[in-house]
Every structure is written in structure tokens, then in C-alpha cells.
Amino acid sequence: MTEQEFKKATQELGIDITEIQLKQLEEYKNFLIEYNNHTNLTAIKTSNEIYLKHFYDSLTISKVIDFNEPKTILDIGTGAGFPGIVLAIIFPNQTVHLMDSNHKKIDFLDALIQKIQIKNVKTIYARSEEYALSHKEEYDIITSRAVAELRILLEISFPLLKINGLFIAMKSSIEKELEEAKDTIELLFGFIEQCITFELPWNEGFRSIIKIKKQKPTPSIYPRNYGTIRKKALKKKEF
């Protein structure tokens, strides 16, 4: 996907990107390629792939979220900034926090933010299950793109969501993980509002996005420690 093809494809998503935003994305792309030469940030390394599989893919979240109203957004496991940095550039009315437990990736993001001068974003070097213990119910939206199993993501993120806040998982496929996460969603007082599957342009693979709403405060026993979360899925008691 070239820059112009990217611009056309995003228009089909209902997004009109300005020339300034295109310039910021171009600088982002170039800096990512340069930085990736000495620090492993992404397996996607060519210009066309970055426009399609990072930039455009990040913006597909707009299929399920209206970004006209200002919101506080947390991107968990942001890596090299997807979707968080892209959202911050394209939707400057949003407040975006980027969380990752990999210091090298946070260093890259800090350098990138300084380089392209985006003001509505900050980085957080932390593990979300630990951060959640002292930052309960702070965010309107939490998103995560291709990071961990859905049931794990839900437990480490839901305590951070405001009541009526939305958790958005962006994945290549969702059916198996969704089945395994049903009890977790119920125990955390979540409700599936929307689940969509679509194909990227030029037959570049399918994507799934699931939107889950938080209906009540998360019980104080969550999140458990990460080792327990990984090993033992939440299950409803059977009588």
C-alpha cells in the first residue's frame, strides 16, 4: 500500500487525513524503519507493509468507535505504537496513553513523540496488571492489538476501565478466544456490544475486532497476579 493508496483507503473508512498528518505518518514510518535496523520492534519492515499492516490496520478500530468526542484511551502492549500513536496523530482530540513493559519499545516511542511533536500522547512503562492496582477506572477506552489471549487481556485491563467504558481487542481471529473468555467477561461484568470480522485490502488477511462494555465496577480481587492469570482461566462456579 502506497501513501496515496493508504489515503484513499482511509477515506473509505470515513477518515479524511490532512497533509500534516500524512507527513507525520511518513516521518513515523521512516523513523521506525531506521530504528528497527538496530532494535527489533516489528517484523513488518517495508514502507508498503507499514502503511497497510500497521497504519491502515490501526485505523480500522474506527469501524466500532466514534472518535468525534474526546476520550481517554489506553493502548496496552503498544509495542512500536500500534494502534495508539496512529490514533493520536489522526484524532488529536483524543488523549492517548501507550503502555508497554518493554523498555526498549518505550524508549523508541519517547524518541518518536519528541521527533514528530505529538502533544496528546504519553508513554507508561509498566505491566498493566500492576498498574491497574493504583489506577482503577481511569480510561474511557482500552485497546490492545495482537498482544495476548482475550481472557488475559480482559482481566488485566477491565479494572482500568471506567464504568460504561469500552475494551477493544484487535486480532486476526477471535472465535476460539471468545469462547474461552465467556466466563471471564461475565465475572468481570462485561457485555459484548459488537464483534466484526473483515478483510484487509488486496486479500492481505482477515481481522476481527471485538468491543466489550464494562457495566459495573470490577471486583477488587482482580486482577490476579500474571502467573495465575496465565495458568488458570476464570470460571463461573457450577452448582
Side-chain angles (χ1 to χ4, degrees):
M1 176 179 279
T2 65
E3 181 184 90
Q4 288 307 308
E5 288 169 335
F6 165 75
K7 185 176 181 180
K8 182 179 178 181
T10 53
Q11 286 174 339
E12 293 172 1
L13 290 174
I15 301 169
D16 289 319
I17 298 180
T18 67
E19 291 303 313
I20 291 174
Q21 290 169 334
L22 279 176
K23 180 64 176 176
Q24 287 178 305
L25 289 173
E26 182 184 20
E27 291 181 8
Y28 184 0
K29 176 204 68 175
N30 292 339
F31 190 56
L32 176 62
I33 291 171
E34 174 193 338
Y35 210 96
N36 209 54
N37 286 329
H38 58 78
T39 303
N40 184 29
L41 298 171
T42 174
I44 295 170
K45 301 177 181 180
T46 68
S47 178
N48 285 1
E49 283 185 308
I50 290 169
Y51 274 112
L52 174 61
K53 296 183 179 179
H54 280 330
F55 294 168
Y56 175 82
D57 194 21
S58 291
L59 290 174
T60 59
I61 193 175
S62 64
K63 289 176 177 284
V64 300
I65 293 291
D66 180 0
F67 289 105
N68 287 320
E69 294 295 324
K71 299 177 179 71
T72 53
I73 302 171
L74 176 64
D75 181 15
I76 289 179
T78 187
F82 307 112
I85 289 280
V86 182
L87 297 179
I89 291 171
I90 303 303
F91 304 109
N93 62 329
Q94 307 298 309
T95 299
V96 182
H97 293 176
L98 312 169
M99 180 181 289
D100 208 284
S101 59
N102 184 314
H103 209 299
K104 290 181 179 180
K105 292 177 179 177
I106 292 294
D107 287 345
F108 163 76
L109 293 169
D110 286 336
L112 173 67
I113 291 165
Q114 183 66 30
K115 184 177 181 64
I116 62 177
Q117 291 293 295
I118 34 181
K119 306 295 186 184
N120 57 325
V121 63
K122 78 169 189 176
T123 60
I124 301 170
Y125 172 55
R127 296 189 64 89
S128 53
E129 69 275 11
E130 296 171 358
Y131 190 76
L133 298 175
S134 56
H135 294 269
K136 293 186 182 298
E137 298 183 4
E138 287 192 2
Y139 294 94
D140 297 306
I141 296 172
I142 295 178
T143 187
S144 191
R145 177 176 175 262
V147 174
E149 293 175 52
L150 181 60
R151 65 170 187 84
I152 293 174
L153 286 170
L154 286 166
E155 186 169 347
I156 65 178
S157 66
F158 247 57
L160 291 157
L161 268 180
K162 295 177 182 178
I163 308 301
N164 296 319
L166 299 171
F167 171 79
I168 313 293
M170 307 175 73
K171 290 180 169 287
S172 57
S173 62
I174 199 70
E175 291 83 3
K176 183 174 183 293
E177 290 186 31
L178 185 55
E179 180 63 31
E180 293 172 348
K182 281 185 175 179
D183 282 0
T184 300
I185 294 169
E186 187 171 334
L187 289 167
L188 296 178
F189 302 123
F191 172 78
I192 299 172
E193 276 205 341
Q194 193 174 3
C195 187
I196 64 170
T197 297
F198 56 93
E199 191 172 14
L200 290 176
W202 302 300
N203 302 311
E204 285 291 336
F206 286 89
R207 295 288 186 269
S208 295
I209 300 178
I210 184 167
K211 177 168 69 172
I212 301 174
K213 188 172 186 176
K214 177 173 176 174
Q215 299 176 298
K216 298 179 182 179
T218 306
S220 60
I221 57 173
Y222 305 119
R224 301 167 295 167
N225 71 72
Y226 191 71
T228 302
I229 295 172
R230 283 192 62 193
K231 292 176 183 176
K232 189 175 181 179
L234 292 179
K235 294 291 182 185
K236 294 185 296 182
K237 291 181 179 179
E238 297 182 359
F239 297 94

